[in-house]
Amino acid sequence: MGIVGIDSQNFEFLRPSRPPLADLGGFAERYARVDPASSLIKQRGFVEHAVLAIYEAYNLEQPFSDNLNDLMFAEPFRLSVPDIILNKLHTVRKAGNHAAHPRQPITSQRSLDTLVCLLDIARWFHVQVDGGDPAAWAKYVVPAADHGRNDRNRDA
C-alpha cells in the first residue's frame, strides 16, 4: 500500500506490483514544477529501483561495483534492455545527478521532460519485467502547476 497522498497521475498502474515505483513516480510528479531538482532526484531513485529489479527479474550477474552507472553499463544489463530504454534510463540518471550537483539552474521544464522519459521506462518495465497489461496505462497527464500543493498535509 502506498503512503497516503502519494498517488500519482501517471504511475498508478505500477502500484499493484511495485508500490515503491508508483510512490516515486507520484513524488516526481508533485515536485516537477514546485521543486524540479527534488523531482529529478526522485526520478533517479525510480531508475535505481527499476535497474535492480531488472537484475533480479532477469537473474543477471551484477558487476563488482554497485553504482548505478556501472550497473547500467554492464554487458548483461545492456543485452537485456532495448537501446531506446537504455537511453531513457541514462537520460533520467544524468538529470538526477545534475539535480544533486547542479552547475546551472534546474528548470521545471527539464523535470517535466524527463518525467515523460520516466513514464516510457515505467511502461516498458510494467510489460517486460512484471508481465503487466498495457491496457492499465492511462493517457499521460502533465502534472498541473498546483499539483501537490493542496495536499501536502494530507497525511499529517
Side-chain angles (χ1 to χ4, degrees), residues 10-27:
N10 298 291
F11 295 89
E12 283 306 304
F13 64 91
L14 294 170
R15 190 160 307 283
S17 58
R18 305 285 177 166
L21 291 181
D23 287 343
L24 286 166
F27 277 121

Side-chain angles (χ1 to χ4, degrees), residues 37 41 44 94-104 106:
I41 290 168
R44 188 183 186 284
K94 289 175 185 177
N97 288 349
H98 174 70
H101 310 286
R103 294 189 182 133
Q104 58 191 17
I106 310 291

Side-chain angles (χ1 to χ4, degrees), residues 94-153:
K94 289 175 185 177
N97 288 349
H98 174 70
H101 310 286
R103 294 189 182 133
Q104 58 191 17
I106 310 291
T107 66
S108 59
Q109 189 58 54
R110 181 163 190 194
S111 177
L112 291 167
D113 291 345
T114 307
L115 196 59
V116 174
C117 287
L118 191 70
L119 184 59
D120 289 342
I121 294 164
R123 288 175 169 169
W124 175 85
F125 183 95
H126 176 69
V127 172
Q128 297 299 319
V129 177
D130 285 342
D133 185 355
W137 307 340
K139 183 178 176 187
Y140 177 68
V141 176
V142 178
D146 65 348
H147 183 59
R149 288 185 183 173
N150 297 330
D151 58 355
R152 278 204 175 135
N153 298 318

Side-chain angles (χ1 to χ4, degrees), residues 51-129:
V51 166
L52 290 174
I54 292 166
Y55 269 91
E56 184 179 325
Y58 291 175
N59 200 27
L60 303 176
E61 185 175 341
Q62 290 190 18
F64 180 72
S65 170
D66 67 351
N67 83 47
L68 184 57
N69 191 52
D70 290 344
L71 289 169
M72 290 171 57
F73 273 106
E75 186 175 4
F77 186 82
R78 286 185 296 109
L79 293 174
S80 300
V81 177
D83 286 343
I84 192 164
I85 298 300
L86 277 172
N87 290 337
K88 290 174 189 255
L89 287 164
H90 282 293
T91 295
V92 175
R93 177 187 61 80
K94 289 175 185 177
N97 288 349
H98 174 70
H101 310 286
R103 294 189 182 133
Q104 58 191 17
I106 310 291
T107 66
S108 59
Q109 189 58 54
R110 181 163 190 194
S111 177
L112 291 167
D113 291 345
T114 307
L115 196 59
V116 174
C117 287
L118 191 70
L119 184 59
D120 289 342
I121 294 164
R123 288 175 169 169
W124 175 85
F125 183 95
H126 176 69
V127 172
Q128 297 299 319
V129 177

